Amino acid sequence: MVGKVISYYENHIVKEPCRDSMYRGHRFVMDVINGHHKRCHQLFRMEKHVFLRLTKELRQRNLLNDSREVSVEEQLAIFLMTIGHDERNRMLQERFQHSGETISRHFNIVLKALVNFSMSMIVAPSFEHIPSYIRNNPKYWPHFKGCIGAIDGTHVDVVIPINEQLAYRGRKGDCTQNFMAACSFDMRFTFIWAGWEGTAHDSRILNEAIHRQSLKFPMPPRGKYYVVDAGYPNMSGFLAPYKGTRYHSNQFRRGQRASGSKELFNHSHSSLRNIIERCFGVWKARWPILKKMAKFPFETQRLIVVVSMALHNYIRHEAIADEEFKRYDEDEDYLSDHEETEIDLEEYGGEPYEGVNEQQSHEMDIVRDAIADSISQTRRF
C-alpha cells in the first residue's frame, strides 16, 4: 500500500521529468548530418545526401511534416534506427529524449508515410528493353535475351500469438512470414507480396499473385520471362532449371565442371538468378529487424517488410558509393542461407502448381531446351 502511494506521488504529484538531458534528439540528428559521412551511414543506414534528399521528398509530397516537438529529420531517424539497428522503444526514448508514446506515435506516422512513398519506389520492370546486365555479358547473351528479372521467395522473422504459430513455423522451427519478390538486374525490387505463413509453398504464393487482379502482378508478355528456381513451375513467363540436375554454383565448385546441355543451362541459369539472392542479401544486411522482429501487430510487421524494400530501392537509385550494395555487387557467387537449405532438395517436392496447363509448360520447355542447346553450342568453340 505504501509503495503504491509513493508511486502515485512520484508520477502524478511531483511529475519529475524522466527525459531531462539537454542533448535532445534534433541536436543528435543534426550532429550526425553535419559530422563525418560514415556516421550517417552507420546510424541511419544510408549516405548523408540520401537521408537529406529523402526528408526533402517526404516534405514535398506532404507525407511528413514537422510537429511542434519533432522535426521530419528526427522522425525519420527514429524510424531508421528502429529497423536499421533493431532498437527498442526504451532505448530510443533515451537517445532522442522523448516519451515512449512520442517515439511510438512518430514511428507509426513515418511507417504510414513510407507505405505511400513505396508505391512510387516499387514499380514493374520494363518489358521492352533487354537489360544491359544481360546484353553486355557473353555468359548470358544472347541465350537469355528474353529475361526481364528474377523471382523467389524468402523468409523474415515474425512475432505471432502462440495459438497461431503452427502455420508460421518453417523448416528450422522459427516463426517466419514467407513472401515473394521479383527484382530487376540492377538489384531493385519490382514486385513484392508479404505476409504469407512460413509454411506456405512458393508456387502457391505465385499462383495467388498471378490470379489476384488487385495485386497487379507484372506478368511478362509472350517471349519474356523471369528466371525462377525449381520450387516454381517451368511455364509461360517463368523459366525454371532442369530438375534432377546439378544447379547451385557451389555444387559445381565442389565437383566436376558442368557438362552436357542440361548442366550447362542450370549453371548459367543459377548464376543469372543469383541476382535476387544478392538483392535479398543486401536488403537483410541493412535492416536487422528482419532477422529479429519487434513485437508489433502483425500488419505493422508486414508493412515494415514492404517499406524496407522501398527504402532499399530508393538507396539504390540515389546512392553514390553505398557500402552494402558495393559488397553484394562484387559477390557474384553469393550463396544465401535459403539456397544452402535447398541444395539437398533437388526435386523440391512441395505443393503442385494449380494454375499451369500442359500447353504453357510445353511452350516453356521448348524455350528452355533451345537455350540449353544454344549455350552448349557456344561452349564447344
Side-chain angles (χ1 to χ4, degrees), residues 94-137:
E94 184 61 30
R95 173 72 278 176
F96 291 93
Q97 292 296 297
H98 293 301
S99 69
E101 187 277 332
T102 298
I103 294 293
S104 178
R105 173 159 42 88
H106 284 287
F107 173 89
N108 285 290
I109 288 172
V110 175
L111 178 64
K112 182 179 179 180
L114 290 177
V115 167
N116 290 326
F117 185 67
S118 68
M119 296 178 185
S120 61
M121 287 294 104
I122 303 173
V123 295
S126 170
F127 296 133
E128 298 179 3
H129 304 291
I130 298 173
S132 58
Y133 184 87
I134 292 175
R135 184 183 288 279
N136 298 333
N137 192 329

Side-chain angles (χ1 to χ4, degrees), residues 124-183:
S126 170
F127 296 133
E128 298 179 3
H129 304 291
I130 298 173
S132 58
Y133 184 87
I134 292 175
R135 184 183 288 279
N136 298 333
N137 192 329
K139 185 176 181 179
Y140 307 127
W141 177 260
H143 322 297
F144 295 95
K145 61 185 178 182
C147 187
I148 48 87
I151 285 180
D152 201 2
T154 192
H155 294 253
V156 298
D157 188 60
V158 69
V159 180
I160 290 291
I162 294 177
N163 62 325
E164 300 177 21
Q165 288 183 0
L166 184 61
Y168 289 86
R169 288 199 181 278
R171 294 191 185 100
K172 297 181 179 180
D174 299 325
C175 287
T176 62
Q177 59 168 306
N178 189 8
F179 70 92
M180 186 186 82
C183 79

Side-chain angles (χ1 to χ4, degrees), residues 36-233:
H36 194 281
H37 68 276
K38 285 189 175 181
R39 289 185 66 197
C40 190
H41 186 276
Q42 290 170 351
L43 291 170
F44 304 151
R45 311 304 293 129
M46 60 182 68
E47 295 173 78
K48 187 186 305 185
H49 76 278
V50 179
F51 179 86
L52 291 173
R53 183 166 178 79
L54 180 56
T55 57
K56 181 180 179 180
E57 287 203 41
L58 292 172
R59 277 194 174 97
Q60 288 177 338
R61 300 188 188 194
N62 202 32
L63 294 175
L64 280 182
N65 296 289
D66 299 324
S67 71
R68 183 173 58 85
E69 54 185 5
V70 186
S71 66
V72 168
E73 288 79 9
E74 192 177 352
Q75 293 175 48
L76 184 60
I78 289 170
F79 184 86
L80 293 175
M81 290 189 70
T82 302
I83 69 170
H85 294 278
D86 199 22
E87 290 281 18
R88 296 304 193 248
N89 187 292
R90 185 169 297 179
M91 296 301 295
L92 293 169
Q93 290 178 46
E94 184 61 30
R95 173 72 278 176
F96 291 93
Q97 292 296 297
H98 293 301
S99 69
E101 187 277 332
T102 298
I103 294 293
S104 178
R105 173 159 42 88
H106 284 287
F107 173 89
N108 285 290
I109 288 172
V110 175
L111 178 64
K112 182 179 179 180
L114 290 177
V115 167
N116 290 326
F117 185 67
S118 68
M119 296 178 185
S120 61
M121 287 294 104
I122 303 173
V123 295
S126 170
F127 296 133
E128 298 179 3
H129 304 291
I130 298 173
S132 58
Y133 184 87
I134 292 175
R135 184 183 288 279
N136 298 333
N137 192 329
K139 185 176 181 179
Y140 307 127
W141 177 260
H143 322 297
F144 295 95
K145 61 185 178 182
C147 187
I148 48 87
I151 285 180
D152 201 2
T154 192
H155 294 253
V156 298
D157 188 60
V158 69
V159 180
I160 290 291
I162 294 177
N163 62 325
E164 300 177 21
Q165 288 183 0
L166 184 61
Y168 289 86
R169 288 199 181 278
R171 294 191 185 100
K172 297 181 179 180
D174 299 325
C175 287
T176 62
Q177 59 168 306
N178 189 8
F179 70 92
M180 186 186 82
C183 79
S184 57
F185 290 105
D186 60 356
M187 224 183 287
R188 296 189 211 184
F189 294 109
T190 58
F191 176 83
I192 62 168
W193 192 15
W196 281 81
E197 304 93 334
T199 55
H201 194 270
D202 290 346
S203 64
R204 176 189 170 196
I205 300 174
L206 176 63
N207 186 25
E208 290 284 341
I210 292 173
H211 291 93
R212 186 174 295 189
Q213 294 184 355
S214 61
L215 294 176
K216 298 180 180 179
F217 176 76
M219 189 68 185
R222 193 178 187 87
K224 300 290 184 177
Y225 53 82
Y226 297 98
V227 283
V228 296
D229 70 18
Y232 298 94

